[in-house]
Amino acid sequence: MSTETAAPELDDEDRKLLTLAKGAMGRAEAKTGAAVRDTDGRTYAAGPVSLAALDLSALQVAVAMAVSSGAPGFEAAVLVGTADDAGDPGLAALTEVSADAYAVMVAV
């Protein structure tokens, strides 16, 4: 996983994920946001879920949305947050589905 303190050099597809992750973060009024791209090119973006009965990181939610929609695998993920989010549990879910998927962390 790549960790950056500013927006890294991203290709157009990964910049799209960054935009989607930031948008999800803003809509959720959260400190983090995430977006994933599946192997079919579809994208999923999410903010974290923090309820008494359920606590999921933004990346966990994005991965779960994709898997529940039938995503066959993942190409990439972008996680927007703080450097502390580098140990996000969603990374394990991402690589469980696709060991060769890559993730980019952008600290804000």
Side-chain angles (χ1 to χ4, degrees):
M1 182 177 104
S2 173
T3 302
E4 302 287 337
T5 55
E9 291 297 319
L10 301 173
D11 66 19
D12 288 343
E13 291 300 311
D14 290 347
R15 271 196 299 277
K16 178 181 174 184
L17 290 180
L18 176 59
T19 299
L20 292 170
K22 285 181 175 180
M25 182 173 72
R27 284 188 303 280
E29 298 179 358
K31 294 179 182 179
T32 62
V36 297
R37 182 176 55 251
D38 72 14
T39 54
D40 289 336
R42 294 176 296 195
T43 57
Y44 305 83
V49 173
S50 185
L51 304 170
L54 182 65
D55 191 26
L56 298 171
S57 73
L59 186 55
Q60 286 176 309
V61 175
V63 168
M65 289 170 52
V67 169
S68 71
S69 295
F74 295 107
E75 290 179 358
V78 171
L79 174 63
V80 178
T82 65
D84 296 336
D85 298 315
D88 190 295
L91 293 170
L94 180 78
T95 58
E96 178 181 334
V97 176
S98 294
D100 58 345
Y102 64 92
V104 177
M105 170 67 192
V106 179
V108 292

Coordinates of all heavy atoms in Angstrom, one line a residue:
M1 N 0.8 -1.2 0.0 CA 0.0 0.0 0.0 C 0.9 1.2 0.0 O 1.8 1.3 0.7 CB -0.9 0.0 1.2 CG -1.8 1.2 1.2 SD -3.0 1.2 2.6 CE -2.2 2.4 3.6
S2 N 0.5 2.2 -0.8 CA 1.3 3.5 -0.9 C 0.6 4.4 0.1 O -0.6 4.6 0.1 CB 1.2 4.0 -2.3 OG 1.7 5.3 -2.4
T3 N 1.4 5.1 0.9 CA 0.9 6.1 1.8 C 1.5 7.5 1.4 O 2.7 7.6 1.2 CB 1.3 5.8 3.3 OG1 0.8 4.5 3.6 CG2 0.7 6.9 4.2
E4 N 0.6 8.5 1.2 CA 1.0 9.8 0.8 C 0.5 10.8 1.8 O -0.5 10.7 2.4 CB 0.5 10.1 -0.6 CG 0.9 9.1 -1.7 CD 2.3 9.2 -2.1 OE1 2.9 10.2 -1.9 OE2 2.8 8.2 -2.6
T5 N 1.2 12.0 1.9 CA 0.8 13.0 2.7 C 0.1 14.1 1.9 O -0.6 15.0 2.4 CB 1.9 13.7 3.5 OG1 2.9 14.1 2.5 CG2 2.5 12.7 4.5
A6 N 0.2 14.1 0.6 CA -0.6 14.9 -0.3 C -1.0 14.1 -1.5 O -0.7 12.9 -1.6 CB 0.4 16.0 -0.8
A7 N -1.8 14.6 -2.3 CA -2.4 13.9 -3.4 C -1.2 13.3 -4.3 O -0.4 14.1 -4.8 CB -3.3 14.7 -4.3
P8 N -1.0 12.0 -4.3 CA 0.1 11.4 -5.1 C -0.2 11.5 -6.6 O -1.3 11.9 -7.0 CB 0.0 9.9 -4.7 CG -1.5 9.7 -4.4 CD -1.9 11.0 -3.8
E9 N 0.8 11.2 -7.4 CA 0.7 11.2 -8.8 C -0.2 10.0 -9.1 O 0.2 8.8 -8.9 CB 2.0 11.1 -9.5 CG 2.9 12.3 -9.4 CD 2.2 13.5 -10.0 OE1 1.7 13.4 -11.1 OE2 2.3 14.6 -9.4
L10 N -1.4 10.3 -9.6 CA -2.4 9.2 -9.9 C -2.7 9.3 -11.4 O -2.8 10.4 -12.0 CB -3.6 9.4 -9.1 CG -3.5 9.3 -7.6 CD1 -4.8 9.7 -6.9 CD2 -3.0 8.0 -7.1
D11 N -3.1 8.1 -12.0 CA -3.6 8.1 -13.3 C -5.0 8.6 -13.3 O -5.6 8.8 -12.2 CB -3.4 6.8 -14.0 CG -4.2 5.7 -13.4 OD1 -5.2 5.9 -12.7 OD2 -3.9 4.5 -13.7
D12 N -5.6 8.8 -14.4 CA -7.0 9.3 -14.5 C -8.0 8.5 -13.7 O -8.9 9.0 -13.0 CB -7.5 9.5 -16.0 CG -6.8 10.6 -16.7 OD1 -6.2 11.5 -16.0 OD2 -6.8 10.6 -17.9
E13 N -7.9 7.2 -13.8 CA -8.8 6.3 -13.2 C -8.7 6.4 -11.6 O -9.7 6.3 -10.9 CB -8.7 4.8 -13.6 CG -9.1 4.6 -15.1 CD -10.6 5.0 -15.3 OE1 -11.4 4.5 -14.5 OE2 -10.9 5.7 -16.2
D14 N -7.4 6.5 -11.2 CA -7.2 6.6 -9.7 C -7.6 7.9 -9.2 O -8.1 8.1 -8.1 CB -5.8 6.2 -9.3 CG -5.5 4.7 -9.5 OD1 -6.5 3.9 -9.7 OD2 -4.3 4.4 -9.5
R15 N -7.5 9.0 -10.0 CA -7.9 10.3 -9.6 C -9.4 10.3 -9.5 O -10.0 11.0 -8.6 CB -7.5 11.4 -10.6 CG -6.1 12.0 -10.3 CD -5.9 13.3 -11.1 NE -5.9 13.1 -12.5 CZ -4.9 12.7 -13.3 NH1 -3.7 12.4 -12.7 NH2 -5.0 12.6 -14.6
K16 N -10.1 9.5 -10.3 CA -11.6 9.4 -10.2 C -11.9 8.8 -8.8 O -12.8 9.3 -8.1 CB -12.1 8.5 -11.3 CG -13.6 8.3 -11.2 CD -14.1 7.4 -12.4 CE -15.5 7.0 -12.2 NZ -16.0 6.1 -13.3
L17 N -11.2 7.8 -8.4 CA -11.4 7.1 -7.1 C -11.2 8.1 -6.0 O -11.9 8.2 -5.0 CB -10.5 5.9 -6.9 CG -10.8 4.7 -7.8 CD1 -9.8 3.6 -7.4 CD2 -12.2 4.2 -7.5
L18 N -10.1 9.0 -6.1 CA -9.8 10.0 -5.1 C -11.0 11.0 -5.0 O -11.4 11.3 -3.9 CB -8.5 10.7 -5.5 CG -8.1 11.8 -4.5 CD1 -8.0 11.4 -3.1 CD2 -6.8 12.5 -5.0
T19 N -11.5 11.4 -6.1 CA -12.6 12.3 -6.1 C -13.9 11.7 -5.5 O -14.5 12.3 -4.7 CB -13.0 12.8 -7.6 OG1 -11.8 13.4 -8.1 CG2 -14.2 13.7 -7.6
L20 N -14.1 10.4 -5.8 CA -15.3 9.7 -5.2 C -15.1 9.5 -3.7 O -16.1 9.7 -3.0 CB -15.5 8.4 -5.9 CG -15.9 8.4 -7.4 CD1 -15.9 7.1 -8.0 CD2 -17.3 9.0 -7.5
A21 N -13.9 9.2 -3.3 CA -13.6 9.0 -1.9 C -13.8 10.3 -1.1 O -14.4 10.3 0.0 CB -12.2 8.4 -1.7
K22 N -13.3 11.4 -1.6 CA -13.5 12.7 -1.0 C -14.9 13.1 -0.9 O -15.4 13.7 0.1 CB -12.7 13.8 -1.7 CG -11.2 13.7 -1.5 CD -10.5 14.8 -2.2 CE -9.0 14.8 -1.9 NZ -8.3 16.0 -2.6
G23 N -15.7 12.8 -2.0 CA -17.1 13.1 -2.0 C -17.9 12.3 -0.9 O -18.7 12.9 -0.2
A24 N -17.6 11.0 -0.8 CA -18.2 10.2 0.2 C -17.9 10.7 1.6 O -18.7 10.8 2.5 CB -17.8 8.8 0.0
M25 N -16.6 11.1 1.8 CA -16.2 11.6 3.1 C -17.0 12.9 3.4 O -17.5 13.1 4.5 CB -14.7 11.9 3.0 CG -14.1 12.4 4.3 SD -12.3 12.6 4.3 CE -12.1 14.0 3.2
G26 N -17.1 13.8 2.4 CA -17.9 15.0 2.7 C -19.3 14.8 3.0 O -19.9 15.4 3.9
R27 N -20.0 13.9 2.2 CA -21.4 13.6 2.4 C -21.6 13.0 3.8 O -22.6 13.3 4.4 CB -21.9 12.6 1.3 CG -22.2 13.3 0.0 CD -22.9 12.4 -1.0 NE -22.2 11.1 -1.2 CZ -21.1 11.0 -2.0 NH1 -20.7 12.0 -2.7 NH2 -20.5 9.8 -2.2
A28 N -20.7 12.2 4.2 CA -20.8 11.5 5.5 C -20.4 12.4 6.7 O -20.5 12.1 7.8 CB -20.1 10.2 5.6
E29 N -19.8 13.6 6.3 CA -19.2 14.5 7.3 C -18.3 13.7 8.2 O -18.3 13.8 9.4 CB -20.3 15.2 8.1 CG -21.2 16.1 7.2 CD -22.3 16.8 8.0 OE1 -22.4 16.6 9.2 OE2 -23.0 17.6 7.3
A30 N -17.4 12.9 7.6 CA -16.5 12.0 8.3 C -15.1 12.4 8.1 O -14.8 13.2 7.2 CB -16.8 10.6 7.8
K31 N -14.2 11.8 8.8 CA -12.8 12.0 8.7 C -12.1 11.2 7.7 O -10.9 11.3 7.3 CB -12.1 11.8 10.1 CG -12.5 12.8 11.1 CD -11.8 12.5 12.4 CE -12.3 13.5 13.5 NZ -11.7 13.2 14.8
T32 N -12.8 10.2 7.1 CA -12.3 9.3 6.1 C -13.3 9.0 5.0 O -14.5 9.2 5.2 CB -11.9 7.9 6.7 OG1 -13.0 7.3 7.2 CG2 -10.8 8.0 7.8
G33 N -12.8 8.6 3.9 CA -13.7 8.2 2.8 C -12.9 7.2 2.0 O -11.6 7.2 2.0
A34 N -13.6 6.4 1.2 CA -12.9 5.3 0.4 C -13.6 5.1 -0.9 O -14.8 5.3 -1.0 CB -12.7 4.0 1.2
A35 N -12.9 4.7 -1.9 CA -13.5 4.2 -3.1 C -12.7 3.1 -3.7 O -11.5 3.0 -3.5 CB -13.5 5.4 -4.1
V36 N -13.4 2.1 -4.3 CA -12.7 1.0 -4.9 C -13.2 0.9 -6.4 O -14.3 1.3 -6.7 CB -13.0 -0.3 -4.2 CG1 -12.5 -0.3 -2.8 CG2 -14.5 -0.6 -4.1
R37 N -12.3 0.2 -7.2 CA -12.7 -0.1 -8.6 C -12.6 -1.6 -8.7 O -11.6 -2.2 -8.4 CB -11.7 0.6 -9.5 CG -12.0 0.4 -11.0 CD -11.1 1.2 -12.0 NE -9.7 0.9 -11.7 CZ -8.9 1.8 -11.2 NH1 -9.3 3.0 -10.8 NH2 -7.6 1.5 -11.0
D38 N -13.7 -2.2 -9.3 CA -13.6 -3.6 -9.4 C -13.0 -4.0 -10.8 O -12.7 -3.1 -11.6 CB -15.0 -4.3 -9.2 CG -16.0 -4.0 -10.3 OD1 -15.6 -3.5 -11.4 OD2 -17.2 -4.2 -10.1
T39 N -12.8 -5.2 -11.0 CA -12.2 -5.7 -12.3 C -13.0 -5.5 -13.5 O -12.5 -5.6 -14.6 CB -11.7 -7.2 -12.1 OG1 -12.9 -8.0 -11.8 CG2 -10.7 -7.4 -11.1
D40 N -14.3 -5.1 -13.3 CA -15.1 -4.8 -14.5 C -15.1 -3.3 -14.7 O -15.8 -2.8 -15.6 CB -16.6 -5.2 -14.2 CG -16.7 -6.8 -14.3 OD1 -15.9 -7.4 -15.0 OD2 -17.7 -7.3 -13.7
G41 N -14.4 -2.5 -13.9 CA -14.3 -1.1 -14.0 C -15.4 -0.3 -13.3 O -15.4 1.0 -13.3
R42 N -16.2 -1.0 -12.6 CA -17.3 -0.2 -11.7 C -16.6 0.3 -10.5 O -15.7 -0.3 -10.0 CB -18.4 -1.2 -11.4 CG -19.2 -1.7 -12.6 CD -20.2 -2.7 -12.2 NE -19.6 -3.9 -11.7 CZ -20.1 -5.0 -11.5 NH1 -21.4 -5.2 -11.8 NH2 -19.4 -6.0 -11.0
T43 N -17.2 1.4 -10.0 CA -16.6 2.0 -8.8 C -17.6 2.1 -7.7 O -18.9 2.2 -8.0 CB -16.1 3.5 -9.1 OG1 -17.2 4.2 -9.6 CG2 -14.9 3.4 -10.1
Y44 N -17.1 2.1 -6.5 CA -18.0 2.1 -5.3 C -17.3 3.0 -4.3 O -16.1 2.9 -4.1 CB -18.1 0.7 -4.7 CG -18.7 -0.3 -5.6 CD1 -17.8 -1.0 -6.5 CD2 -20.0 -0.6 -5.7 CE1 -18.2 -1.9 -7.4 CE2 -20.5 -1.5 -6.6 CZ -19.6 -2.2 -7.5 OH -20.1 -3.1 -8.4
A45 N -18.0 4.0 -3.7 CA -17.5 4.9 -2.8 C -18.3 4.9 -1.5 O -19.5 4.7 -1.5 CB -17.5 6.3 -3.4
A46 N -17.7 5.1 -0.4 CA -18.4 5.1 0.9 C -17.6 5.9 2.0 O -16.4 6.1 1.9 CB -18.5 3.6 1.4
G47 N -18.4 6.2 3.0 CA -17.9 6.8 4.2 C -18.0 5.7 5.3 O -18.6 4.7 5.0
P48 N -17.4 6.0 6.4 CA -17.5 5.0 7.5 C -18.9 4.9 8.1 O -19.7 5.8 7.9 CB -16.5 5.5 8.5 CG -16.5 7.0 8.3 CD -16.7 7.2 6.8
V49 N -19.2 3.7 8.7 CA -20.4 3.5 9.5 C -20.1 3.3 10.9 O -19.3 2.5 11.2 CB -21.2 2.3 8.9 CG1 -22.4 2.0 9.8 CG2 -21.6 2.5 7.5
S50 N -20.6 4.2 11.8 CA -20.3 4.1 13.2 C -21.6 4.1 14.0 O -22.2 5.1 14.3 CB -19.4 5.2 13.6 OG -19.0 5.1 15.0
L51 N -22.1 2.9 14.3 CA -23.4 2.7 15.0 C -23.0 1.9 16.3 O -22.0 1.2 16.3 CB -24.4 2.0 14.2 CG -24.8 2.5 12.9 CD1 -25.7 1.6 12.1 CD2 -25.5 3.9 13.1
A52 N -23.9 1.9 17.2 CA -23.7 1.1 18.4 C -23.6 -0.4 18.1 O -22.8 -1.1 18.6 CB -24.8 1.3 19.4
A53 N -24.3 -0.8 17.1 CA -24.4 -2.2 16.7 C -23.4 -2.6 15.5 O -23.3 -3.7 15.2 CB -25.8 -2.6 16.3
L54 N -22.8 -1.5 14.9 CA -22.0 -1.8 13.7 C -21.0 -0.7 13.5 O -21.3 0.5 13.5 CB -22.9 -1.9 12.5 CG -22.2 -2.2 11.1 CD1 -21.7 -3.6 11.1 CD2 -23.3 -2.0 10.0
D55 N -19.7 -1.1 13.4 CA -18.6 -0.1 13.2 C -17.7 -0.6 12.1 O -17.0 -1.6 12.2 CB -17.8 0.0 14.5 CG -16.9 1.2 14.5 OD1 -17.1 2.2 13.8 OD2 -15.8 1.1 15.2
L56 N -17.8 0.1 10.9 CA -17.0 -0.3 9.8 C -16.3 1.0 9.2 O -16.8 2.1 9.2 CB -18.0 -0.7 8.6 CG -18.8 -2.0 8.9 CD1 -19.8 -2.2 7.8 CD2 -17.9 -3.2 9.1
S57 N -15.1 0.7 8.8 CA -14.3 1.8 8.1 C -14.9 2.1 6.8 O -15.7 1.2 6.2 CB -12.8 1.3 8.0 OG -12.7 0.4 6.9
A58 N -14.6 3.2 6.2 CA -15.0 3.6 4.9 C -14.6 2.5 3.8 O -15.4 2.1 3.0 CB -14.5 4.9 4.5
L59 N -13.4 2.0 3.9 CA -13.0 1.0 3.0 C -13.7 -0.3 3.2 O -14.1 -1.0 2.2 CB -11.4 0.8 3.1 CG -10.8 -0.1 2.1 CD1 -11.1 0.3 0.7 CD2 -9.3 -0.2 2.3
Q60 N -14.0 -0.7 4.4 CA -14.8 -1.9 4.6 C -16.2 -1.8 3.9 O -16.7 -2.7 3.3 CB -15.0 -2.2 6.1 CG -13.7 -2.7 6.7 CD -13.9 -2.9 8.2 OE1 -14.3 -2.0 8.9 NE2 -13.6 -4.1 8.7
V61 N -16.8 -0.6 4.1 CA -18.1 -0.4 3.5 C -18.0 -0.4 2.0 O -18.8 -1.1 1.3 CB -18.7 1.0 4.0 CG1 -20.0 1.2 3.3 CG2 -18.9 1.0 5.5
A62 N -17.0 0.2 1.4 CA -16.9 0.2 -0.1 C -16.7 -1.2 -0.6 O -17.3 -1.6 -1.6 CB -15.7 1.2 -0.5
V63 N -15.8 -2.0 0.1 CA -15.6 -3.3 -0.3 C -16.9 -4.2 -0.2 O -17.2 -4.9 -1.1 CB -14.4 -4.0 0.5 CG1 -14.4 -5.5 0.3 CG2 -13.1 -3.3 0.1
A64 N -17.6 -4.0 0.9 CA -18.8 -4.7 1.1 C -19.9 -4.4 0.1 O -20.6 -5.3 -0.5 CB -19.4 -4.5 2.5
M65 N -20.0 -3.1 -0.3 CA -20.9 -2.7 -1.3 C -20.6 -3.4 -2.7 O -21.5 -3.9 -3.4 CB -20.9 -1.2 -1.5 CG -21.4 -0.4 -0.4 SD -21.1 1.4 -0.5 CE -21.6 1.8 -2.1
A66 N -19.3 -3.4 -3.0 CA -18.9 -4.0 -4.3 C -19.2 -5.5 -4.3 O -19.7 -6.1 -5.2 CB -17.4 -3.7 -4.5
V67 N -18.8 -6.2 -3.2 CA -19.0 -7.6 -3.1 C -20.5 -8.0 -3.1 O -20.9 -8.9 -3.9 CB -18.3 -8.2 -1.9 CG1 -18.7 -9.7 -1.6 CG2 -16.8 -8.1 -2.0
S68 N -21.3 -7.2 -2.4 CA -22.7 -7.5 -2.4 C -23.4 -7.2 -3.8 O -24.5 -7.7 -4.0 CB -23.4 -6.7 -1.3 OG -23.4 -5.3 -1.6
S69 N -22.7 -6.4 -4.6 CA -23.2 -6.1 -5.9 C -22.6 -7.1 -7.0 O -22.9 -6.9 -8.2 CB -22.8 -4.7 -6.3 OG -23.5 -3.8 -5.5
G70 N -21.9 -8.1 -6.5 CA -21.4 -9.1 -7.4 C -20.0 -8.8 -8.1 O -19.7 -9.4 -9.1
A71 N -19.2 -7.9 -7.5 CA -17.9 -7.6 -8.0 C -17.1 -8.8 -8.1 O -16.9 -9.5 -7.1 CB -17.2 -6.5 -7.2
P72 N -16.5 -9.1 -9.2 CA -15.7 -10.4 -9.3 C -14.3 -10.2 -8.7 O -13.6 -11.2 -8.4 CB -15.5 -10.6 -10.8 CG -15.7 -9.2 -11.4 CD -16.6 -8.5 -10.5
G73 N -13.8 -9.0 -8.5 CA -12.5 -8.8 -7.9 C -12.2 -7.3 -7.9 O -13.1 -6.5 -8.4
F74 N -11.1 -6.9 -7.4 CA -10.7 -5.5 -7.3 C -9.4 -5.2 -8.1 O -8.5 -6.0 -8.1 CB -10.5 -5.1 -5.9 CG -11.8 -5.2 -5.1 CD1 -12.0 -6.2 -4.2 CD2 -12.8 -4.2 -5.3 CE1 -13.2 -6.2 -3.5 CE2 -14.0 -4.3 -4.6 CZ -14.2 -5.3 -3.7
E75 N -9.3 -4.0 -8.6 CA -8.1 -3.5 -9.2 C -7.4 -2.6 -8.3 O -6.2 -2.6 -8.1 CB -8.4 -2.7 -10.5 CG -8.9 -3.6 -11.7 CD -9.2 -2.8 -12.9 OE1 -9.0 -1.5 -12.9 OE2 -9.5 -3.4 -13.9
A76 N -8.2 -1.6 -7.7 CA -7.6 -0.6 -6.9 C -8.5 0.0 -5.8 O -9.8 -0.2 -5.9 CB -7.1 0.6 -7.8
A77 N -7.9 0.6 -4.8 CA -8.7 1.4 -3.8 C -8.0 2.6 -3.5 O -6.7 2.7 -3.5 CB -8.9 0.5 -2.6
V78 N -8.7 3.7 -3.1 CA -8.2 4.9 -2.6 C -8.8 5.2 -1.3 O -10.1 5.1 -1.2 CB -8.3 6.1 -3.6 CG1 -7.9 7.4 -2.9 CG2 -7.5 5.9 -4.8
L79 N -8.0 5.4 -0.3 CA -8.5 5.7 1.1 C -8.1 7.1 1.4 O -6.9 7.4 1.3 CB -8.0 4.7 2.1 CG -8.3 4.9 3.6 CD1 -9.8 4.9 3.8 CD2 -7.6 3.9 4.4
V80 N -9.0 8.0 1.8 CA -8.7 9.3 2.2 C -8.9 9.4 3.7 O -9.9 9.0 4.2 CB -9.6 10.3 1.4 CG1 -9.3 11.8 1.8 CG2 -9.4 10.2 -0.1
G81 N -7.9 10.0 4.3 CA -8.0 10.1 5.8 C -6.8 10.7 6.4 O -6.2 11.6 5.8
T82 N -6.3 10.1 7.5 CA -5.1 10.5 8.1 C -4.1 9.4 8.1 O -4.4 8.2 7.7 CB -5.4 10.8 9.6 OG1 -5.8 9.6 10.3 CG2 -6.5 11.8 9.8
A83 N -2.9 9.7 8.4 CA -1.8 8.7 8.4 C -2.1 7.5 9.3 O -1.7 6.4 9.1 CB -0.5 9.3 8.7
D84 N -3.0 7.8 10.3 CA -3.3 6.7 11.3 C -4.2 5.6 10.6 O -4.4 4.6 11.2 CB -4.1 7.3 12.5 CG -3.2 8.2 13.3 OD1 -2.0 8.1 13.3 OD2 -3.8 9.1 14.0
D85 N -4.8 6.0 9.5 CA -5.7 5.0 8.8 C -4.9 4.0 8.0 O -5.5 3.1 7.3 CB -6.7 5.8 7.9 CG -7.5 6.7 8.7 OD1 -8.0 6.3 9.7 OD2 -7.7 7.9 8.3
A86 N -3.6 4.0 8.0 CA -2.8 3.1 7.2 C -3.0 1.6 7.6 O -2.8 0.7 6.8 CB -1.3 3.4 7.3
G87 N -3.5 1.4 8.8 CA -3.8 0.0 9.2 C -5.3 -0.3 9.1 O -5.8 -1.2 9.8
D88 N -6.0 0.3 8.1 CA -7.4 0.1 8.0 C -7.8 -1.3 7.8 O -7.2 -2.0 6.9 CB -7.9 0.9 6.7 CG -9.4 1.0 6.6 OD1 -10.0 -0.1 6.4 OD2 -9.9 2.1 6.7
P89 N -8.8 -1.8 8.5 CA -9.1 -3.3 8.4 C -9.7 -3.6 7.0 O -9.8 -4.7 6.6 CB -10.1 -3.5 9.5 CG -10.6 -2.1 9.9 CD -9.5 -1.2 9.6
G90 N -10.2 -2.6 6.3 CA -10.7 -2.8 4.9 C -9.6 -3.3 4.0 O -10.0 -3.9 3.0
L91 N -8.4 -3.1 4.3 CA -7.3 -3.6 3.4 C -7.3 -5.1 3.4 O -7.0 -5.7 2.3 CB -5.9 -3.0 3.9 CG -5.7 -1.5 3.7 CD1 -4.5 -1.1 4.5 CD2 -5.7 -1.1 2.3
A92 N -7.5 -5.7 4.5 CA -7.6 -7.2 4.6 C -8.7 -7.7 3.7 O -8.6 -8.7 3.0 CB -7.7 -7.6 6.0
A93 N -9.9 -7.0 3.8 CA -11.0 -7.4 2.9 C -10.7 -7.3 1.4 O -11.0 -8.1 0.6 CB -12.3 -6.6 3.3
L94 N -10.1 -6.1 1.1 CA -9.7 -5.9 -0.3 C -8.8 -7.0 -0.8 O -9.0 -7.5 -1.9 CB -9.0 -4.5 -0.4 CG -8.6 -4.1 -1.8 CD1 -9.7 -3.6 -2.6 CD2 -7.5 -3.0 -1.7
T95 N -7.7 -7.3 -0.1 CA -6.8 -8.3 -0.6 C -7.3 -9.7 -0.4 O -6.8 -10.6 -1.1 CB -5.4 -8.1 0.1 OG1 -5.6 -8.2 1.5 CG2 -4.8 -6.8 -0.2
E96 N -8.3 -9.9 0.4 CA -8.8 -11.3 0.5 C -9.6 -11.6 -0.8 O -9.5 -12.7 -1.3 CB -9.8 -11.4 1.7 CG -10.5 -12.7 1.8 CD -11.5 -12.8 2.9 OE1 -11.4 -12.1 3.9 OE2 -12.5 -13.6 2.7
V97 N -10.2 -10.6 -1.4 CA -10.9 -10.8 -2.6 C -9.9 -10.8 -3.8 O -10.0 -11.6 -4.7 CB -12.0 -9.7 -2.8 CG1 -12.7 -9.9 -4.2 CG2 -13.0 -9.8 -1.7
S98 N -9.0 -9.9 -3.8 CA -8.0 -9.8 -4.9 C -6.6 -9.5 -4.3 O -6.3 -8.3 -4.0 CB -8.4 -8.7 -5.8 OG -9.6 -9.0 -6.5
A99 N -5.8 -10.5 -4.2 CA -4.5 -10.3 -3.6 C -3.6 -9.3 -4.3 O -2.7 -8.7 -3.8 CB -3.8 -11.7 -3.5
D100 N -3.8 -9.1 -5.6 CA -3.0 -8.2 -6.4 C -3.6 -6.8 -6.5 O -3.0 -6.0 -7.2 CB -2.7 -8.8 -7.8 CG -4.0 -9.1 -8.6 OD1 -5.1 -9.1 -8.0 OD2 -3.9 -9.2 -9.8
A101 N -4.7 -6.5 -5.9 CA -5.2 -5.2 -5.9 C -4.3 -4.2 -5.1 O -3.6 -4.7 -4.2 CB -6.6 -5.2 -5.2
Y102 N -4.2 -3.0 -5.5 CA -3.4 -2.0 -4.8 C -4.3 -1.0 -4.2 O -5.4 -0.7 -4.6 CB -2.4 -1.4 -5.7 CG -2.9 -0.6 -6.9 CD1 -3.1 0.8 -6.7 CD2 -3.2 -1.1 -8.1 CE1 -3.6 1.6 -7.7 CE2 -3.7 -0.4 -9.1 CZ -3.9 1.0 -8.9 OH -4.4 1.7 -10.0
A103 N -3.7 -0.4 -3.1 CA -4.4 0.7 -2.4 C -3.5 1.9 -2.3 O -2.3 1.7 -2.0 CB -4.9 0.2 -1.0
V104 N -4.1 3.1 -2.4 CA -3.4 4.3 -2.2 C -4.0 5.0 -1.0 O -5.3 5.2 -1.0 CB -3.4 5.2 -3.5 CG1 -2.7 6.5 -3.2 CG2 -2.8 4.4 -4.6
M105 N -3.2 5.4 -0.1 CA -3.7 6.2 1.1 C -3.3 7.7 0.8 O -2.2 8.0 0.6 CB -3.0 5.7 2.3 CG -3.2 6.5 3.6 SD -4.9 6.5 4.1 CE -4.9 7.8 5.3
V106 N -4.3 8.6 0.9 CA -4.1 10.0 0.8 C -4.5 10.6 2.1 O -5.7 10.6 2.5 CB -4.9 10.6 -0.4 CG1 -4.6 12.1 -0.5 CG2 -4.5 9.9 -1.7
A107 N -3.5 11.2 2.8 CA -3.8 11.9 4.1 C -4.2 13.3 3.8 O -3.7 13.9 2.9 CB -2.5 11.9 4.9
V108 N -5.2 13.7 4.5 CA -5.7 15.1 4.4 C -5.6 15.8 5.7 O -5.5 15.3 6.7 CB -7.2 15.1 3.9 CG1 -7.2 14.6 2.5 CG2 -8.1 14.3 4.8

